[in-house]
Amino acid sequence: MVIDINLSTLQRLKRPEAPSIPQPSLARLPQYHHYLVDLADKGISRISCSVIGAYLGLIPVQVRKDLQYTGIIGKPKTGYSVAELIQAIETFLGWNNINEAFLVGVGNLGTALLGHERFSKFGLRIVAAFDTDSTKIGQWIHEKAVLPLEQLADLAQRMSIHLGIITCPAEAAQAVADEMVKGGIQAIWNFAPVKLRVPDHIIVHNEDLYSTLASLSWKLARRFRVPVQEKEAV
Amino acid sequence: MVIDINLSTLQRLKRPEAPSIPQPSLARLPQYHHYLVDLADKGISRISCSVIGAYLGLIPVQVRKDLQYTGIIGKPKTGYSVAELIQAIETFLGWNNINEAFLVGVGNLGTALLGHERFSKFGLRIVAAFDTDSTKIGQWIHEKAVLPLEQLADLAQRMSIHLGIITCPAEAAQAVADEMVKGGIQAIWNFAPVKLRVPDHIIVHNEDLYSTLASLSWKLARRFRVPVQEKEAV
DNA sequence: GTAGACTCGGTATATGGTTATCGATATAAA
DNA sequence: TTTATATCGATAACCATATACCGAGTCTAC
Ligand SMILES: NC(=O)c1ccc[n+]([C@@H]2O[C@H](COP(=O)([O-])OP(=O)(O)OC[C@H]3O[C@@H](n4cnc5c(N)ncnc54)[C@H](O)[C@@H]3O)[C@@H](O)[C@H]2O)c1
Ligand SMILES: NC(=O)c1ccc[n+]([C@@H]2O[C@H](COP(=O)([O-])OP(=O)(O)OC[C@H]3O[C@@H](n4cnc5c(N)ncnc54)[C@H](O)[C@@H]3O)[C@@H](O)[C@H]2O)c1
């Protein structure tokens, strides 16, 4: 077997499109955005990296570097214009253009996402939901129609949907992803705890709540049960 | 103002307790765990890093290094015992001991989490929910009582609850966190998009769905709108 | 009008995590 | 029994990100 060689090669080849922004910086931008919107609501019009950093627990240099990726220009002594900064982040993230999405699996989590109107402020509009449960099909949940899964690929194609959200049981997730790919969907937001196998050009983001849980669990366990020495003695 | 100096100093001082495992490795452990449980269900008893890596899209060395943190010992040529490995991960993450938790904010998301029974397999048991909405208080949702927020601190103390989950609106999150701290809660799983201000010894994990959304949105925008050149010209 | 203080932007260094390399060991086949 | 091969564990090189530093610009206060 040469699995490992293939893999590492593959991973390297996957990287030709330079990220142009580090993933951690990308993840911090929405946090700046939340804070800036708060400031704007309070009528504050200018802000410095130091203050943003103080609020979010980051050092000013890091904030400055992150913001630079959006193309914003600040002025010495006064900092940045709050309005410009919000605009710069939204434009950079593509939040000004709406992404229409399909959601599959109208259970506990799917219903919660369907009902979250705030997503629309961040460029996400879930336009329809899909399920295989005949008792759910035909219902309207949070003003969205629940359709049979079989229609997904066809509708996605005809409506030019680019984003799919998976909130079905883990066992079904791969099959659903396959349908999405068939329908021309480009990006998948996956809440099921499985690794999806999709073509290279498909963007997949896993929202792995169990990873978070693992971190919390480990830290709590460590605090309460292990005073020192975590690994086996040397 | 000397905000920045204070901050960087503070950040450095926050790091005295060495993590002893990199955060990314910690986040990958649950993924190995999911896969290993699948293998065990299929009756497979031994597994190598190469195969795990091939499944999850990781190179074998990285898998091996991650697993080493759990203290597992493998054998050359044959790899690891699946059963031992599952046990090692669960013990390491503290999933064998149940963490009891309180959840605050029985809305869309809170209800979804309350109904997710699978969490109990990973050491998490939500024992009660809290809200300020008088129409929700007194109800039982997914077999959990919804209690008034005022009782949280007292109950947390008496029941020795160590984990709090925040799924209330962002505006209320800080106040809720304060209550949790007052009740002796040690760790907070925060789904509201705000930076919580809590004492240093409190563990906080933010589940920031908007960060994920930002990544997806940016990548989609990039694919469809920007053929090349992201930042302003040099 | 000038001195001083604050903040931005660019470059350099440090840190932490990932990836590569190598020797040792266990299994299986000859 | 011996040889070939796959895998583990440890060490070392490498890379991305985070942090530090420094010069330049602009506003405030005297
Ligand atoms: N609810 C949570 O808090 C939570 C937390 C973490 C992860 N998750 C994950 O999210 C996913 C959904 O969780 P949930 O609690 O909402 O589950 P759920 O059982 O409440 O809902 C699952 C939904 O998917 C539908 N479904 C089943 N098979 C399907 C298929 N083949 N195609 C389309 N739809 C199908 C079901 O009819 C149901 O409506 C799971 O993978 C779960 O592991 C949920
Ligand atoms: N629903 C989602 O898909 C989603 C996605 C991302 C983030 N979030 C975040 O999760 C949080 C909850 O979202 P949601 O959609 O469930 O909102 P929701 O409005 O459906 O529910 C909020 C709940 O909190 C309760 N509440 C209000 N004020 C409270 C207070 N002071 N103390 C305790 N409880 C209080 C309300 O009564 C309600 O039951 C929000 O911060 C939201 O930004 C939700």
Side-chain angles (χ1 to χ4, degrees):
Chain A
M1 274 212 276
V2 281
I3 283 176
D4 45 349
I5 291 174
N6 282 343
L7 250 182
S8 62
T9 310
L10 184 135
Q11 283 217 331
R12 213 176 299 115
L13 292 179
K14 256 188 194 163
R15 252 185 252 151
E17 53 176 287
S20 105
I21 176 173
Q23 177 65 30
S25 299
L26 190 52
R28 281 189 295 268
L29 287 180
Q31 298 174 26
Y32 301 135
H33 185 268
H34 291 137
Y35 179 55
L36 291 164
V37 169
D38 272 358
L39 291 180
D41 287 347
K42 287 181 191 152
I44 295 168
S45 65
R46 297 200 70 84
I47 187 74
S48 76
C49 289
S50 317
V51 178
I52 298 176
Y55 177 76
L56 287 173
L58 303 168
I59 61 175
V61 194
Q62 186 166 46
V63 177
R64 213 177 301 135
K65 249 195 129 210
D66 288 343
L67 296 181
Q68 278 177 359
Y69 288 110
T70 67
I72 189 87
I73 306 279
K75 269 202 284 190
K77 180 70 177 181
T78 57
Y80 304 90
S81 151
V82 173
E84 277 178 24
L85 203 37
I86 291 175
Q87 192 54 43
I89 293 176
E90 290 183 351
T91 304
F92 182 79
L93 293 178
W95 280 354
N96 293 320
N97 304 62
I98 295 289
N99 282 312
E100 293 190 322
F102 279 173
L103 181 146
V104 177
V106 191
N108 288 313
L109 191 56
T111 304
L113 295 178
L114 283 177
H116 192 56
E117 284 146 24
R118 218 180 142 180
F119 278 147
S120 63
K121 287 189 185 167
F122 305 99
L124 173 66
R125 180 159 59 220
I126 305 176
V127 292
F130 296 82
D131 210 301
T132 49
D133 184 339
S134 56
T135 66
K136 291 187 176 169
I137 293 169
Q139 286 188 26
W140 286 76
I141 296 188
H142 293 298
E143 282 100 51
K144 275 103 182 184
V146 180
L147 307 172
L149 182 61
E150 299 83 46
Q151 298 183 8
L152 184 143
D154 182 49
L155 275 176
Q157 217 146 32
R158 291 198 290 167
M159 297 174 70
S160 294
I161 302 293
H162 295 140
L163 180 59
I165 305 175
I166 296 182
T167 50
C168 66
E171 306 79 54
Q174 182 61 58
V176 169
D178 292 344
E179 281 301 303
M180 287 179 171
V181 171
K182 206 191 292 174
I185 278 177
Q186 299 292 311
I188 296 177
W189 194 359
N190 175 36
F191 286 82
V194 283
K195 164 83 179 177
L196 299 177
R197 323 224 62 131
V198 293
D200 277 356
H201 68 282
I202 305 288
I203 302 161
V204 177
H205 266 252
N206 298 302
E207 197 72 50
D208 195 347
L209 297 189
Y210 302 103
S211 286
T212 316
L213 193 48
S215 295
L216 279 170
S217 184
W218 179 77
K219 287 176 186 168
L220 276 173
R222 197 150 194 270
R223 170 164 304 181
F224 288 111
R225 287 190 279 278
V226 188
V228 76
Q229 178 195 10
E230 189 67 47
K231 301 174 66 177
E232 75 284 18
V234 184
Chain B
M1 272 214 275
V2 282
I3 283 176
D4 46 349
I5 291 173
N6 282 344
L7 252 182
S8 62
T9 311
L10 184 135
Q11 284 217 331
R12 213 175 300 115
L13 291 179
K14 254 186 193 165
R15 251 185 253 150
E17 52 175 288
S20 106
I21 176 173
Q23 177 64 32
S25 298
L26 191 51
R28 281 190 294 269
L29 287 179
Q31 299 173 26
Y32 302 135
H33 185 268
H34 293 313
Y35 178 56
L36 291 165
V37 169
D38 272 357
L39 290 179
D41 287 348
K42 287 180 192 153
I44 296 169
S45 64
R46 297 201 70 84
I47 187 73
S48 76
C49 289
S50 318
V51 178
I52 298 176
Y55 177 76
L56 288 173
L58 304 168
I59 60 175
V61 194
Q62 186 166 46
V63 177
R64 213 176 301 133
K65 248 195 133 209
D66 287 343
L67 296 181
Q68 279 178 357
Y69 289 110
T70 67
I72 188 88
I73 307 277
K75 268 201 285 191
K77 179 74 176 181
T78 58
Y80 304 90
S81 150
V82 172
E84 277 179 25
L85 203 36
I86 291 175
Q87 192 54 43
I89 292 175
E90 290 183 351
T91 304
F92 182 78
L93 293 178
W95 280 353
N96 293 320
N97 303 62
I98 295 289
N99 282 311
E100 292 189 323
F102 279 174
L103 180 145
V104 178
V106 190
N108 288 312
L109 191 56
T111 304
L113 295 177
L114 283 176
H116 193 58
E117 282 146 24
R118 218 180 143 181
F119 278 147
S120 64
K121 287 189 185 167
F122 305 99
L124 173 66
R125 180 159 58 220
I126 304 176
V127 292
F130 296 83
D131 210 302
T132 49
D133 185 339
S134 56
T135 67
K136 292 186 176 171
I137 293 170
Q139 287 187 25
W140 286 74
I141 296 188
H142 293 298
E143 282 101 51
K144 275 102 182 186
V146 181
L147 307 171
L149 182 61
E150 298 82 47
Q151 298 183 7
L152 185 144
D154 182 48
L155 275 176
Q157 218 147 33
R158 289 198 292 170
M159 296 174 70
S160 296
I161 303 294
H162 294 141
L163 179 59
I165 304 174
I166 296 182
T167 49
C168 66
E171 306 80 55
Q174 180 62 57
V176 168
D178 293 343
E179 281 302 303
M180 287 180 170
V181 171
K182 205 190 291 174
I185 278 177
Q186 299 292 310
I188 295 177
W189 193 0
N190 175 37
F191 286 81
V194 282
K195 165 82 179 179
L196 299 177
R197 323 225 59 134
V198 294
D200 277 356
H201 69 281
I202 304 287
I203 302 161
V204 177
H205 266 252
N206 298 301
E207 197 72 50
D208 195 347
L209 297 190
Y210 302 103
S211 286
T212 315
L213 193 47
S215 296
L216 280 171
S217 184
W218 179 78
K219 286 175 188 168
L220 276 173
R222 197 149 193 271
R223 169 164 304 181
F224 287 111
R225 286 188 280 279
V226 189
V228 76
Q229 179 196 9
E230 190 68 46
K231 301 174 67 178
E232 75 283 22
V234 185

